[in-house]
Amino acid sequence: MTALLEVSDLSKAYPVGRRGLFRRRTMQALAGVSLSIAPGEVLGLVGESGSGKSTIGKAVLRLIEPETGSIRFDGRDLRALSTEELRAARKDMQIIFQDPYASLDPRKTVRAALAEALDTHGLHTGQRRTPRLNELVQMVGLSPQALDRRPHEFSGGQRQRIGIARALAVEPRFIVADEAVSALDVSIQAQILNLLADLRARTGISILFISHDLSVVRFISDRVMVLYLGRVMELGPADRIHFAPRHPYTAALVSAEPSLAPRQARIRLTGEIPSPMNPPSGCVFRTRCPYALPECAQAVPALRPAGEGQLTACIRDDILS
Amino acid sequence: MSLSLPKPMRLPSLILLALVMTLVFGPMIMSADPISISVKDRMALPSWSHWLGQDEFGRDRLARVLYGGRVSLTVAFLASVIACVVGTLFGLIGAYFRGPFEFVTMRLSDVVLCFPPILLALLVVTLFGPGVTTLVAVLSVLYFPAFARIAFSEALRVAALDFVEAARALGAAPRRIVLRTVLPNILGPISVQFSLTAAASITIESGLSFLGLGVVPPAPSWGQMIRGARAFMNQDPTGILVPCAALTLTIWSINFFCDRLRDTLDPKHGESAGKDEIAKARADAAAAAAGPAQILDADVVAQVKDLRLALPRPEGPLALIDGVTLTLRQNECTALVGESGSGKSLTSLALMGLLPSAIRPAGGRILIHRKTGGTVDLATLGERETEDLRGNDVAMIFQEPMTSLNPIHRIGAQMIEAIRAHKAISAEEARARAVELLDLVGIPEAGRRIDSYPHELSGGMRQRVMIAMALSGEPKLMIADEPTTALDVTIQAEIVELLQRLRQEYAAGMSLLFISHNLGIVAEIADQIAVMYAGEVVEQGPAAEVLATPHHPYTRALLDSMPSAHEDLHSSRGDRLAAIAGTPARPEARPSGCAFRDRCPQARPCCAESRPELYPTGTRAARCFFAPGADQPQEREAGA
Amino acid sequence: MTSYVLRRLTTALVMLWVVGTIVFSVLLIVPGDPAELLLTTGGADASTDAVENLRKKMGLDRPVAEQYVSFLADTARFDFGDSLIDGTPISETIALRLPRTLELIAVSMVVALALAIPAGTYAGLNAGKRFDRAASAVNALFTSIPGFVSGTLFIYLFAQVLRILPAGGYVAFAQDPWMHVQMLILPTVTVALHLMTIIFRMTRASVLEMRAHDWVRTGIAKGLRRRQVVRRHILRNALGPVITVVGLQLGILLGSTVLVEFVYNWPGLSGFLVSSVQQRDYPSVRAVILTVAAIFIAINFLVEVAYSLLDPRIRLT
Ligand SMILES: Nc1ncnc2c1ncn2[C@@H]1O[C@H](COP(=O)(O)OP(=O)(O)OP(=O)(O)O)[C@@H](O)[C@H]1O
Ligand code: SF4
Ligand code: SF4
Ligand SMILES: [Mg+2]
């Protein structure tokens, strides 16, 4: 099976604070991240705030420009495309946002927002426009009456559905869902998760599902990637990552997850997340890792196979087995 | 047309419209000529042919006022339009291309803003001589930077919003995004600036004309009329009063329009008071009459009895909290859970006497067992007594550690003031105590960190500071409103652990009211649980029992919809979460009968008829006709 | 902190230089010959001799670069050249008149601050209540009255009808202190009224904004007295935006007192400026404007430093 999206060695640094006359401080948001997503696959991306999840999501869509790395979508190098070609290519890749209140233009009716999406790529013009719009809102569980209302007339969950409809309007093959259910209440979150799962089953769309909630990611994703300070810590099948993590950071995340079941001993992390402006040498996790050894400071650990189908960026093999 | 205007805009629009009409069309239907001189009628009093009399040259004053206004308005309008178009363009270009464009836009406006407006105008007048064209040119140059700035910062703000990102992700062309998505969303602030500019332009134009450096005579202008009449104000006060009144009225109506426009576009700007609680606490006479406060059990720290809170509206009060009863015991953690808007925060704020001023108590009592012994009813306390109680008997931690500390004071100062609010000790002693508390909540190097400003600490650290501050009064009840929601999972687990540890080791016996929407955290920390829905408690009881065997369909549905409670399910295997249909009932659209009825999978026709009560069974209770304690077994049978 | 002040200081100096350059180059970018332009009044052409004369006087016959350098050097020494009208050194005139203008502004500012800040705070804390509505309505009215209008009306009322105050003029304090004060009253009230409307509005808005912040709720929850919460968690925070506006207004005032001074015959910078403009004495106008802009920039610099003392976060940017 060839990958739909193939990203390798993605890096991105943001300038921070004032730009001094001589020095220009930067914050390394991503460092050498590689990933691939197969057609119809859901790849989950978890990590704490500031770990670079959204940066990946936007960089693979080229909504922000990464410093290095290649992004191949369906075999084409996205970074080599001209502005015009890129705009045409956007038809195949869409994004759903976190904040249901900021993601819709308050001045546009649902119809206008969806029509704009179709117009941009000249889809379903003329006669076929209305049936398509009706179909779209129904696909996300709203009634056609919703078309002529404005965002403020909808609840958060309904807005999120509209955001999904807008993304689906151009029939993309790939969607980035950036914390798409994080701002929602539990009951609504479940509705949206089910909706995404159904869409995937029905249309075979690929999804990059970004969330800080491990159990949500476990439920929806086929594979999960764990990020820390802009670097990949672990990658593997969702259930394996959740039930048998091989990286100390993943293990700590899983054990910190609040759960109804009685909790196993929590892995305590010491200290705080270091500043991305000067990350620790070697393994970036070492300042908080309960298993850190002096060697951990020497070189950045490469991803290596571990457990069943996992890849971990930890040099130690004698823990967590 | 005016019908589609928002109500507050109607009056100012009408006034402005009338004014503009008068000045534009007035001169057309006037017969008098503003410049024909009639020396024998100098300063003549009002008459039939000259309604406002004649000026120092015997010219018709009404005609001069109307024509002068027309000139002023034309100058102001032209200048504002030019400044607006040019400035907005500059701002948008700066915001869109950033880099050098941004630099030029911003610096240009910085420089222009360095010159007091009138002076800049005078500089130009020196070079080109007075006149209407000069005026328009000067005023546009003066005011375009303001537009550029506003357009720039607003465009940046809007461009950062997700819907603009979404338009980019769709592949819309940049020009289209700027014109169709960004521009419409910044028109509000720009139109406010437009009216401000129009008013300011009139002021400057008339000022220059008053100095004899604006509109050139014989063309009439208000400034000039005042200048001319000044010399004769003793004999002929009308001469100054008329143009002064015209000028003031014009500027006022534009300002009035502008104020209302601003309030309409940005409700935050106007009288949005009522979201906060700085209003004075006042003892409620009715509550005092209800009799002495009493708590029977010795281990009860606080009790909320049948609390009702409402939002007054013209069409009648809107019930937000509808009969909530809670008993908070010593050494117990009670969790208040529910979805957004279910009334968790309001209930807890009521316990602190911290209700937003827009919200009115509509019944019920809040009894608190004081540290000094004795029970008080919160509603009967005066301002002083309430202040004594807060932080001392009841303390609170809030959801947003980022905004809950004052950014301009060091955390030490904020802690010391909390400590000294309830204990008469010296600043040094208070500081030592603060260091001790910071150390206790796990802040490394507390002695040094105490001198940090909040922005120098991470979110988790700030929340620890908040906890330390809450502990400083050694309260018997601590309320934590979603204290971990804004934090990362690992930090969240640490804070929950810290709260647990403090309760067990440090503040033994302290009661904790823990508010959360996350049942997982609740399962870890809570002894008792109260589930809220639409302003009511729908189920309560010991946490472990409620979570294991929920009696209320809502509690059950909440548990079912949590992915973390179903680790065996996976979407790729075709599993779906048991989601509850619909959305939580909003206070203004609460179903009759049972509030959960429109989403409840077990609903029966009888659920619409009357409101279920909280039916008790043993230590538990549920607000459902088919709960174990309810007396409708046959119906329940039928529903099963 | 030091680095912040140094950065601001650099910015201020750069601004000063830019402003000087602009004022200098305005003459170069106007279409046609500046000397001719300045001498043309009402379409009448000036004689070639007069134009030549003026060119020489203003140094316009020298190469631009040379003009620019000597302009900057002279300006840095506060040497603005001589007036085209009567040949007196401009800097002397400014040194004589500027203090009178500053006196008027300073006294008005003190009066305005003393009244508007408490009123604005009270209105902000009690937004929507009776005092606030009344004060805001009065404020809206006064905002709409330009200074020269209120000045003219005050003269009519207090000097002509009631005859309790002089209609204008100026006597040095050393000469007749009592008269000096009497003559100061009306101009001060006029300027202060205008300032008050702005400070009141800003204080009220700032208090209204600050009181809705979460930390105010924290303060109340700690059990602080209401007075303490208002002082430490609302007013202290509201002060930053207010002093920024006050600083900006001080600068703008330097300009708009021109009108008030003119109304009351107060012999500050204004009389000089207005007559210079009327007689198109460009060097004098340029000197006044440069002086005012320099004061403006200096005030802004001080305001920024003061703000950074009030709010530690500012120093980061
Ligand atoms: N200041 C206010 N003015 C008007 N309505 C308010 C105000 N504060 C809260 N409400 C309304 O009261 C109801 C209960 O609000 P509350 O904040 O207690 O909910 P909550 O359970 O804490 O929700 P969340 O989980 O979002 O914090 C909601 O419908 C809310 O819209
Ligand atoms: S490499 Fe070392 S520091 Fe990094 S996770 Fe593994 S054990 Fe911990
Ligand atoms: S009373 Fe009826 S509608 Fe309400 S929860 Fe029970 S079964 Fe459902
Ligand atoms: Mg809340």
Side-chain angles (χ1 to χ4, degrees):
Chain A
M1 186 168 61
T2 54
L4 178 67
L5 178 77
E6 181 97 54
V7 174
S8 64
D9 202 28
L10 205 61
S11 294
K12 169 78 189 173
Y14 292 108
V16 277
R18 70 190 116 101
R19 262 169 274 164
L21 219 43
F22 306 107
R23 67 217 148 99
R24 186 161 177 233
R25 292 199 298 166
T26 58
M27 182 199 113
Q28 194 68 37
L30 282 184
V33 172
S34 302
L35 59 86
S36 72
I37 300 179
E41 188 188 29
V42 180
L43 176 68
L45 209 52
V46 288
E48 293 177 283
S49 61
S51 59
K53 304 184 294 289
S54 297
T55 308
I56 293 190
K58 289 185 178 162
V60 300
L61 297 181
R62 269 199 65 191
L63 288 170
I64 54 177
E65 286 303 322
E67 256 91 61
T68 63
S70 79
I71 306 162
R72 303 187 77 79
F73 186 81
D74 202 17
R76 284 210 294 173
D77 184 355
L78 280 190
R79 298 195 65 195
L81 297 187
S82 71
T83 329
E84 280 308 304
E85 288 169 327
L86 180 67
R87 278 185 28 217
R90 293 201 181 285
K91 183 190 157 314
D92 285 330
M93 350 179 263
Q94 285 298 309
I95 182 164
I96 312 168
F97 295 96
Q98 167 171 12
D99 182 355
Y101 290 86
S103 59
L104 299 174
D105 188 341
R107 289 167 188 276
K108 292 197 177 112
T109 58
V110 176
R111 185 186 299 280
L114 296 180
E116 183 185 30
L118 295 176
D119 283 339
T120 309
H121 296 283
L123 300 170
H124 303 276
T125 47
Q127 295 271 301
R128 289 177 314 169
R129 176 58 57 87
T130 314
R132 174 63 178 161
L133 293 179
N134 289 341
E135 180 191 20
L136 275 172
V137 284
Q138 276 161 354
M139 200 188 313
V140 295
L142 296 173
S143 73
Q145 280 85 24
L147 280 171
D148 293 305
R149 292 198 264 151
R150 280 173 216 281
H152 67 88
E153 298 172 62
F154 295 98
S155 69
Q158 289 170 318
R159 286 164 184 243
Q160 208 58 315
R161 289 171 189 268
I162 298 167
I164 295 174
R166 178 181 56 197
L168 293 177
V170 294
E171 294 161 58
R173 288 190 285 160
F174 169 60
I175 286 194
V176 174
D178 189 354
E179 300 271 12
V181 298
S182 308
L184 306 175
D185 274 322
V186 211
S187 67
I188 312 298
Q189 173 176 308
Q191 296 170 2
I192 302 290
L193 284 174
N194 287 349
L195 172 64
L196 288 176
D198 289 341
L199 279 172
R200 194 266 290 258
R202 220 170 57 231
T203 63
I205 198 169
S206 306
I207 303 178
L208 179 61
F209 189 92
I210 300 175
S211 175
H212 63 270
D213 186 333
L214 267 178
S215 50
V216 165
V217 167
R218 189 206 58 77
F219 171 76
I220 194 88
S221 320
D222 302 310
R223 286 184 305 141
V224 172
M225 181 181 239
V226 182
L227 284 180
Y228 183 78
L229 276 182
R231 281 140 183 102
V232 180
M233 296 289 109
E234 186 167 6
L235 173 67
D239 281 342
R240 299 294 307 165
I241 292 282
H242 202 82
F243 299 118
R246 297 305 303 266
H247 191 282
Y249 177 61
T250 318
L253 268 188
V254 173
S255 80
E257 187 82 356
S259 115
L260 291 172
R263 129 173 320 173
Q264 330 83 308
R266 190 165 78 81
I267 299 178
R268 280 200 177 66
L269 298 184
T270 47
E272 299 209 1
I273 304 180
S275 152
M277 273 173 276
N278 68 39
S281 63
C283 173
V284 280
F285 184 54
R286 77 183 157 81
T287 51
R288 300 174 74 201
C289 179
Y291 308 104
L293 299 175
E295 297 91 283
C296 299
Q298 253 119 60
V300 179
L303 277 176
R304 61 178 182 80
E308 289 168 41
Q310 280 146 277
L311 292 171
T312 171
C314 173
I315 58 171
R316 289 189 67 170
D317 214 3
D318 51 337
I319 48 174
L320 303 169
S321 32
Chain B
M1 179 205 104
S2 82
L3 279 183
S4 66
L5 280 176
K7 210 169 157 209
M9 290 305 301
R10 287 184 201 157
L11 183 63
S13 309
L14 208 66
I15 296 179
L16 197 59
L17 194 72
L19 189 91
V20 171
M21 293 303 225
T22 317
L23 294 179
V24 171
F25 296 110
M28 292 184 188
I29 52 173
M30 287 258 329
S31 54
D33 176 1
I35 49 179
S36 76
I37 293 175
S38 158
V39 185
K40 65 174 176 17
D41 295 321
R42 289 184 74 220
M43 296 182 251
L45 291 178
S47 64
W48 264 119
S49 49
H50 303 284
W51 290 0
L52 291 178
Q54 283 155 282
D55 73 359
E56 66 275 11
F57 292 108
R59 296 173 291 200
D60 179 64
R61 195 167 277 136
L62 180 62
R64 288 185 68 76
V65 167
L66 292 179
Y67 275 95
R70 198 153 129 177
V71 173
S72 289
L73 272 193
T74 314
V75 168
F77 184 73
L78 281 182
S80 306
V81 168
I82 297 175
C84 175
V85 171
V86 175
T88 308
L89 213 61
F90 260 87
L92 284 179
I93 291 176
Y96 194 82
F97 295 103
R98 304 299 299 269
F101 292 93
E102 171 183 355
F103 184 83
V104 170
T105 304
M106 297 313 286
R107 289 303 148 257
L108 204 67
S109 51
D110 279 351
V111 169
V112 176
L113 290 175
C114 269
F115 296 99
I118 292 231
L119 290 195
L120 196 62
L122 286 176
L123 179 76
V124 178
V125 171
T126 322
L127 286 171
F128 295 100
V132 169
T133 329
T134 317
L135 274 176
V136 171
V138 166
L139 290 171
S140 349
V141 172
L142 267 180
Y143 290 113
F144 95 89
F147 282 100
R149 261 184 189 225
I150 290 175
F152 177 77
S153 57
E154 279 296 302
L156 280 194
R157 184 185 63 80
V158 172
L161 292 177
D162 289 341
F163 62 84
V164 178
E165 191 91 330
R168 290 216 300 141
L170 274 173
R175 195 168 32 89
R176 196 188 154 97
I177 297 180
V178 170
L179 293 182
R180 301 286 281 278
T181 308
V182 177
L183 191 60
N185 280 294
I186 67 172
L187 279 183
I190 289 193
S191 47
V192 169
Q193 181 61 29
F194 186 89
S195 14
L196 277 178
T197 305
S201 301
I202 292 184
T203 313
I204 292 205
E205 177 273 325
S206 58
L208 287 179
S209 302
F210 174 75
L211 291 177
L213 300 168
V215 177
V216 191
S221 109
W222 291 339
Q224 233 184 69
M225 290 174 72
I226 301 175
R227 176 188 171 84
R230 235 161 65 88
F232 312 97
M233 61 171 119
N234 226 356
Q235 301 108 291
D236 181 23
T238 345
I240 53 167
L241 292 182
V242 168
C244 282
L247 189 54
T248 305
L249 178 68
T250 309
I251 299 177
W252 177 82
S253 39
I254 301 180
N255 281 340
F256 181 41
F257 180 82
C258 174
D259 274 356
R260 287 284 175 91
L261 185 63
R262 192 187 336 226
D263 291 351
T264 312
L265 292 173
D266 176 15
K268 262 209 332 273
H269 194 92
E271 326 299 342
S272 70
K275 268 232 140 322
D276 56 0
E277 44 294 293
I278 189 72
K280 280 195 181 88
R282 238 178 278 108
D284 182 342
Q294 264 189 313
I295 293 185
L296 296 176
D297 286 359
D299 68 337
V300 171
V301 172
Q303 202 164 37
V304 176
K305 280 186 173 167
D306 196 32
L307 179 70
R308 286 167 199 280
L309 300 174
L311 185 68
R313 287 178 314 169
E315 61 269 37
L318 180 67
L320 298 178
I321 298 292
D322 216 357
V324 165
T325 297
L326 280 179
T327 303
L328 306 175
R329 289 172 198 280
Q330 231 174 50
N331 208 7
E332 217 173 52
C333 172
T334 308
L336 208 51
V337 302
E339 291 177 286
S340 184
S342 56
K344 309 183 293 292
S345 297
L346 284 184
T347 306
S348 64
L349 289 171
L351 260 168
M352 286 288 278
L354 261 180
L355 281 178
S357 45
I359 289 174
R360 298 266 169 278
R365 317 189 71 180
I366 294 173
L367 305 179
I368 291 177
H369 210 125
R370 299 211 52 170
K371 280 202 297 206
T372 49
T375 303
V376 290
D377 181 339
L378 214 52
T380 61
L381 295 186
E383 188 183 354
R384 260 304 153 83
E385 293 156 297
T386 316
E387 286 167 352
D388 281 339
L389 186 117
R390 292 183 189 135
N392 196 13
D393 295 280
V394 189
M396 189 155 182
I397 322 167
F398 301 97
Q399 171 169 352
E400 283 295 334
M402 294 317 200
T403 53
S404 294
L405 290 165
N406 191 334
I408 67 170
H409 297 299
R410 294 176 200 275
I411 58 167
Q414 301 189 48
M415 288 197 64
I416 291 169
E417 98 188 334
I419 295 171
R420 296 185 71 192
H422 300 293
K423 263 206 201 95
I425 57 176
S426 72
E428 290 75 48
E429 284 172 300
R431 189 183 155 91
R433 174 96 181 105
V435 173
E436 205 177 291
L437 285 166
L438 288 176
D439 197 49
L440 182 78
V441 297
I443 293 201
E445 298 178 79
R448 200 173 55 81
R449 287 291 178 93
I450 189 170
D451 290 319
S452 310
Y453 285 103
H455 68 262
E456 295 165 338
L457 303 179
S458 68
M461 284 296 158
R462 291 187 210 188
Q463 201 57 297
R464 285 173 195 267
V465 172
M466 286 296 293
I467 294 175
M469 209 145 76
L471 286 176
S472 70
E474 293 164 24
K476 289 180 71 178
L477 171 62
M478 177 134 109
I479 303 172
D481 188 356
E482 310 244 11
T484 62
T485 307
L487 305 173
D488 276 323
V489 214
T490 52
I491 312 292
Q492 171 175 306
E494 284 171 26
I495 297 287
V496 169
E497 247 176 41
L498 171 67
L499 285 173
Q500 285 284 52
R501 183 169 62 79
L502 289 174
R503 230 159 52 79
Q504 282 151 10
E505 294 166 16
Y506 175 75
M510 184 173 75
S511 175
L512 179 63
L513 178 62
F514 189 93
I515 297 169
S516 180
H517 65 271
N518 188 325
L519 290 177
I521 298 181
V522 168
E524 265 162 47
I525 196 167
D527 305 309
Q528 295 287 318
I529 196 170
V531 182
M532 289 192 71
Y533 187 81
E536 296 171 324
V537 171
V538 293
E539 174 157 17
Q540 65 184 34
E545 289 176 38
V546 171
L547 294 176
T549 54
H551 287 167
H552 195 280
Y554 176 64
T555 317
R556 199 173 311 136
L558 265 189
L559 286 165
D560 284 345
S561 57
M562 286 170 58
S564 58
H566 304 278
E567 304 206 314
D568 49 327
L569 298 183
H570 196 280
S571 64
S572 67
R573 294 191 288 265
D575 300 329
R576 295 294 176 261
L577 297 165
I580 321 173
T583 50
R586 282 168 300 135
E588 60 274 22
R590 187 193 182 284
S592 64
C594 174
F596 187 54
R597 165 169 74 82
D598 56 344
R599 306 175 75 195
C600 180
Q602 277 104 300
R604 294 279 165 277
C606 71
C607 302
E609 279 154 25
S610 58
R611 290 194 177 197
E613 289 160 35
L614 203 52
Y615 305 106
T617 36
T619 51
R620 302 181 55 179
R623 194 183 289 277
C624 170
F625 290 126
F626 309 103
D631 42 62
Q632 295 192 346
Q634 67 284 51
E635 282 245 23
R636 192 162 13 114
E637 222 82 321
Chain C
M1 186 70 214
T2 329
S3 90
Y4 176 80
V5 173
L6 282 179
R7 271 202 327 275
R8 291 290 118 193
L9 192 61
T10 321
T11 318
L13 291 176
V14 170
M15 287 303 277
L16 216 51
W17 168 71
V18 172
V19 165
T21 307
I22 289 181
V23 172
F24 170 80
S25 46
V26 163
L27 262 195
L28 301 176
I29 45 180
V30 296
D33 182 84
E36 222 168 290
L37 189 70
L38 286 174
L39 287 176
T40 341
T41 21
D45 278 344
S47 71
T48 347
D49 266 6
V51 172
E52 210 41 52
N53 213 349
L54 182 62
R55 288 174 68 98
K56 194 150 264 151
K57 236 188 193 165
M58 291 176 62
L60 292 173
D61 48 352
R62 289 181 294 159
V64 173
E66 198 185 314
Q67 286 180 46
Y68 180 58
V69 171
S70 66
F71 165 76
L72 285 187
D74 290 346
T75 309
R77 282 183 283 118
F78 297 105
D79 176 1
F80 298 114
D82 297 340
S83 156
L84 292 183
I85 311 301
D86 53 12
T88 50
I90 298 172
S91 29
E92 278 177 24
T93 317
I94 290 183
L96 177 71
R97 288 171 170 258
L98 181 62
R100 300 177 188 152
T101 296
L102 292 182
E103 178 191 2
L104 178 54
I105 292 177
V107 176
S108 314
M109 185 56 92
V110 170
V111 173
L113 286 175
L115 294 174
I117 290 202
T121 308
Y122 189 77
L125 288 176
N126 297 287
K129 306 254 174 68
R130 208 177 306 138
F131 174 82
D132 175 50
R133 281 155 184 256
S136 295
V138 170
N139 199 61
L141 179 64
F142 281 126
T143 309
S144 311
I145 308 182
F148 68 92
V149 170
S150 53
T152 308
L153 294 176
F154 284 159
I155 291 180
Y156 176 66
L157 184 65
F158 293 105
Q160 309 270 349
V161 178
L162 300 176
R163 295 177 184 280
I164 47 175
L165 286 169
Y170 176 85
V171 175
F173 185 79
Q175 207 176 327
D176 182 350
W178 176 230
M179 198 58 202
H180 178 86
V181 169
Q182 278 192 331
M183 289 180 156
L184 188 62
I185 292 178
L186 281 185
T188 303
V189 170
T190 312
V191 174
L193 205 60
H194 170 73
L195 266 178
M196 272 168 62
T197 59
I198 295 161
I199 298 174
F200 171 85
R201 191 178 252 266
M202 192 62 212
T203 310
R204 177 183 178 276
S206 194
V207 164
L208 204 55
E209 185 199 326
M210 292 306 162
R211 63 180 263 203
H213 276 294
D214 285 353
W215 64 74
V216 175
R217 193 180 54 187
T218 308
I220 301 173
K222 284 195 282 201
L224 298 185
R225 300 268 177 256
R226 198 178 118 89
R227 196 167 22 84
Q228 280 176 299
V229 174
V230 169
R231 195 161 43 85
R232 290 181 49 83
H233 296 290
I234 296 180
L235 262 186
R236 260 300 298 277
N237 294 68
L239 225 50
V242 171
I243 63 167
T244 306
V245 166
V246 168
L248 200 71
Q249 283 309 315
L250 271 177
I252 293 176
L253 257 190
L254 285 169
S256 51
T257 41
V258 164
L259 284 161
V260 176
E261 289 181 9
F262 183 84
V263 169
Y264 291 106
N265 269 322
W266 185 262
L269 279 185
S270 72
F272 178 52
L273 182 65
V274 172
S275 66
S276 304
V277 174
Q278 274 162 349
Q279 306 184 35
R280 311 190 90 181
D281 178 358
Y282 188 74
S284 300
V285 175
R286 180 164 79 179
V288 173
I289 287 174
L290 271 177
T291 311
V292 172
I295 297 177
F296 194 19
I297 290 171
I299 292 173
N300 266 340
F301 167 69
L302 293 178
V303 163
E304 276 170 346
V305 172
Y307 200 157
S308 77
L309 288 176
L310 282 178
D311 189 340
R313 288 169 304 173
I314 300 291
R315 289 169 223 160
L316 296 175
T317 51

